[in-house]
Amino acid sequence: KNEVEQSPQNLTAQEGEFITINCSYSVGISALHWLQQHPGGGIVSLFMLSSGKKKHGRLIATINIQEKHSSLHITASHPRDSAVYICAVTGTASKLTFGTGTRLQVTL
Amino acid sequence: DAGVTQSPTHLIKTRGQQVTLRCSPKSGHDTVSWYQQALGQGPQFIFQYYEEEERQRGNFPDRFSGHQFPNYSSELNVNALLLGDSALYLCASSLVGNTIYFGEGSWLTVV
C-alpha cells in the first residue's frame, strides 16, 4: 500500500463544474503539498498545508490532520485546469513522498 | 528572479554511458532534491543535498551520485546507464519549511 493515496486516478469534467480530488496518507507528516504537472513535465507548487484550509483564486485546499486526509477543490473549472494534480507529503525529513496523481481533463 | 533551472532539457544516451544533469536552485534556496519520474508514474526521491552534503537518499543504487557546490547548485550523475533509467529527472529547491520549487526537468532517454 502506498504511503500517499489519491482518488480518483482520472477525472473528466465539463467547464464550470466543481471538482474535488482527495488524498489520504498513512505516515506522520510535517506538511502536505498539492502540485500541478502539465504534459511538458514541469511541476508547480499550488499549496503547502500543515493545518486548516488555504484558498488561492479558484483553488481551495483543506487538510484534516486527525483523519490524515486532504482535499483539493477547483471551483468553476476551466479547460486550462487540465493537468495532473499530485498530492505529496513531507515527514520529519524534508523529502517529498508523492501520490500517483490525478489526471484531470476539463472539456468545453 | 529566475526559479529553478535545469540543464539539459533533453538528452539521449547509450546504455553503459554516463550522464550529468545540472540544477541551479531558486535564489536564496539552500536545499536541493532530485527526483526521477518514469513515464506515467509519480516522482521518486533520489537524494537531497544541503550545505554541500547528501542529507538523505532514496532507494536508488550507487550508480546515482550527486554533488552540491558552494553556490548551492547541484549535479546528478548516473553511471553505467540502463534502459530503465530513461525518465524525467526533476530538481527541486527549498528553504526548510517553505514552499518547494521545481525545475522543468531533464528528459533522459537511454537507447
Side-chain angles (χ1 to χ4, degrees), chain A residues 33 35 37 39-45 48 86 90 93-100 103, chain B residues 31 33 35 37 41-45 48 55-56 88 90 97-100 102-104 107:
Chain A
H33 306 257
L35 310 168
Q37 186 171 34
I43 292 178
V44 174
S45 178
M48 184 175 78
I86 304 172
T90 47
S94 51
K95 75 177 180 93
L96 284 168
T97 301
F98 293 81
T100 52
R103 187 173 300 275
Chain B
T31 302
S33 301
Y35 298 87
Q37 186 175 21
Q41 306 290 320
Q44 299 292 319
F45 175 73
Q48 183 182 82
R55 183 161 68 173
Q56 279 195 93
L88 175 67
L90 292 160
N98 287 284
T99 299
I100 297 171
F102 287 84
E104 291 294 313
W107 290 94

Side-chain angles (χ1 to χ4, degrees), chain B residues 14-90:
Chain B
T14 304
R15 276 179 298 176
Q17 285 190 314
Q18 179 264 346
V19 68
T20 298
L21 308 178
R22 295 176 177 84
C23 173
S24 292
K26 183 175 171 60
S27 178
H29 284 188
D30 57 6
T31 302
V32 174
S33 301
W34 287 92
Y35 298 87
Q36 180 196 63
Q37 186 175 21
L39 202 60
Q41 306 290 320
Q44 299 292 319
F45 175 73
I46 304 174
F47 41 53
Q48 183 182 82
Y49 279 85
Y50 173 70
E51 292 189 344
E52 301 180 56
E53 290 198 359
E54 184 181 289
R55 183 161 68 173
Q56 279 195 93
R57 188 178 183 91
N59 190 25
F60 279 79
D62 291 345
R63 298 186 297 109
F64 289 75
S65 64
H67 189 76
Q68 186 178 35
F69 299 93
N71 66 354
Y72 304 131
S73 67
S74 178
E75 288 181 351
L76 163 66
N77 300 291
V78 187
N79 294 323
L81 284 166
L82 304 173
L83 295 179
D85 295 330
S86 296
L88 175 67
Y89 289 85
L90 292 160

Side-chain angles (χ1 to χ4, degrees), chain A residues 55-73:
Chain A
K55 184 176 188 293
H56 185 255
R58 295 181 294 107
L59 302 178
I60 303 166
T62 64
I63 187 168
N64 184 317
I65 297 295
Q66 286 74 31
E67 295 186 2
K68 295 187 175 180
H69 182 269
S70 175
S71 294
L72 175 68
H73 305 286

